[in-house]
Amino acid sequence: MKALYAQSGGVTSVINASAYGVIDEARKNGLEIYVGINGVTGILKEKFLDVSTLDIEFLKYTPAGAFGSCRKKLKSESDIEKLFDIFRKNDIRYFFYNGGNDSMDTAWRLQIEAQKRGYELKVVGVPKTIDNDLPHTDHCPGYGSSAKYIAVSMMEAALDLRSMYVDSTQVFVMEIMGRHAGWLAAAAGLGWVNGIGADVILLPEQPFNKDEFIVAVDNVVSKKGYCAIAVAEGIKYPDGFFVSDMGFTDSFGNRQLGGVGFTIAGMVRSELGLKTHVAIPDYLQRSGKHISSATDVEEAEMCGRMAVRYALDDNYGVMVTMERISDEPYQIKYSSVPLNLVAEQTKMLPKDYFDKYSVTEKFFKYALPLIQGEFYPPFKNGLPDYKLIDLK
C-alpha cells in the first residue's frame, strides 16, 4: 500500500517542514511514500514524485511549496471519479493533504467519497495557513513565522518613519493578508513588547468607520509627529462591504481583495493632507524563511509526523490539531478533529484580543510564544542557499 502527500492553497515558510515530517515518518513506518505535484491539480494528471529515496533534509530550510501547490476545488463528479481511478490504479491507501480551510474541505470530500465507493482510503489533513483561522486548533503552522515577519517589518518601517517624519512621510501604511480574520494584522502590534510597533491596526473583526479612523490617526500624529498603520486586506464597512474589492472571485467563491492600503492612505491624504507611504508585503509575509520562527518549524514538522501516526492508528477523516496546555512555560499537545468540523470554517480573532485600534495583553500572551527562536536557512554567496526540485 502506498501513501500520497500533497500541498494545497497559499504556501508558508514552514509548509515544507510538514512535508519533511510526513515523508520521514512514513518511511520510518514502512510506507511507500509519493508526493503529488501541485496538489489535486497535479494528481489528476498523475504527476507523482517518488520520494522514497529523496534526501529531504533541505525541506526544513526551504520556504513556499517545494512540491507545488494549487487552489483547485473539486466540483465535478468527473474529477472525483478520475481521482479515485488514479488512486486505485496506483494503490493509494493513505492521503495526507497539507492546507487550510478550503483544502480541508477537499480532504473531507475525498474521505466521504472513498466511503461511498467502498474504497479503503485513510485521509488526514495537515494544517497550514498564515491566516491562523482554522477552528479547533490553538494555532496553525505558518502563522508564527508570518507573524514574526510582520512584527519585525513593522518595527523597522516605524523606525524609518520616525527618522524622516519632520519634513517627509508622516504616515506609513502596511497592507497585510487576512480576508476575514485579523490574526496576521494583529501581529503588527507585537513589536510594542520591545517599544515600537503599529500605532493603528485595522482588523476585519471591527467594522471600519472612516471618521473615527481619521480622528485616531490625527491624534497619533499630533502626539508624536507620525503614525504607522497596519490594515488587513479584508476590512469591511458596517454594511458588510469590503473597503477594497477587486471585483471578481476565485474557484472557491472567495472575493479577490487588494489595494486597501492605498485606499486607506488616500483617505489620510485627502482628510489630513499628510504625506503617506504604502507597503504591501504580499508573498513576502508568507514565504520569508530568513526570519522564520523556530517554534513554528518544529510544530509544522510534528503536525506532519502526527498525521502519519494517526492514519496508522486508524484515526482518519481528521485534521491534526494543537491544544495549548500552558502559556508559561509554553506547552502544547497534539490531537485531532473531524475534517467536516474544519472544512470552510473560519476562526476569528477573539474580541478580548484587540481594543479599537490596538491589541491587548491577551493577544501578546497568545502570540509571543509562537514567534520564539530563529531557524535560519544555510547561506551561500551571502544569500539563502535554497534547493529546488524539478517539478516538470
Side-chain angles (χ1 to χ4, degrees), residues 149-326:
Y149 182 95
I150 288 297
V152 171
S153 298
M154 180 55 79
M155 291 176 73
E156 293 173 343
L159 287 171
D160 189 299
L161 187 62
R162 181 175 182 269
S163 302
M164 302 295 294
Y165 79 91
V166 173
D167 55 9
S168 186
T169 303
Q170 289 175 276
V171 176
F172 170 76
V173 181
M174 182 184 291
E175 179 182 323
I176 301 170
M177 288 180 174
R179 175 182 304 279
H180 300 299
W183 294 96
L184 199 54
L190 288 177
W192 284 115
V193 74
N194 286 355
I196 189 164
D199 298 298
V200 172
I201 303 175
L202 302 176
L203 303 167
E205 288 83 355
Q206 181 158 289
F208 177 72
N209 183 302
K210 177 182 174 182
D211 293 337
E212 291 181 357
F213 164 69
I214 293 298
V215 170
V217 173
D218 192 32
N219 287 340
V220 173
V221 173
S222 297
K223 180 179 179 180
K224 57 193 293 188
Y226 61 93
C227 180
I229 302 169
V231 54
E233 62 181 352
I235 61 169
K236 297 179 180 180
Y237 290 110
D239 60 9
F241 284 93
F242 289 109
V243 173
S244 182
D245 188 329
M246 296 181 72
F248 59 94
T249 61
D250 65 13
S251 62
F252 285 89
N254 298 317
R255 299 296 296 176
Q256 292 301 285
L257 308 176
V260 70
F262 291 100
T263 300
I264 290 298
M267 293 178 186
V268 172
R269 285 195 304 272
S270 175
E271 299 295 326
L272 299 178
L274 301 175
K275 183 177 180 181
T276 64
H277 192 88
V278 180
I280 306 177
D282 201 48
Y283 286 2
L284 304 179
Q285 65 201 286
R286 70 187 193 190
S287 291
K289 187 64 180 179
H290 62 287
I291 193 70
S292 62
S293 156
T295 298
D296 198 19
V297 173
E298 178 184 341
E299 292 178 345
E301 178 184 336
M302 279 305 301
C303 281
R305 291 189 183 279
M306 295 307 297
V308 175
R309 294 175 191 177
Y310 289 152
L312 292 173
D313 287 340
D314 284 335
N315 180 19
Y316 55 93
V318 301
M319 183 190 79
V320 179
T321 62
M322 290 180 279
E323 298 178 14
R324 191 173 302 209
I325 300 172
S326 69

Side-chain angles (χ1 to χ4, degrees), residues 2-9 15-16 19 22-23 32-52 54 65-70 83 86-87 90 92 94-98 389-392:
K2 300 175 183 176
L4 181 64
Y5 165 84
Q7 300 173 330
S8 175
I15 189 172
N16 295 321
V22 169
I23 295 169
E32 190 175 346
I33 181 74
Y34 291 79
V35 169
I37 303 302
N38 294 115
V40 293
T41 297
I43 295 172
L44 284 166
K45 300 175 183 177
E46 295 191 65
K47 294 180 65 176
F48 295 165
L49 179 66
D50 183 350
V51 293
S52 56
L54 180 70
F67 301 109
S69 189
C70 73
L83 206 56
I86 292 170
F87 283 170
N90 293 277
I92 302 299
Y94 297 89
F95 184 48
F96 304 105
Y97 212 32
N98 201 169
I389 297 174
D390 185 1
L391 302 181
K392 294 182 180 179

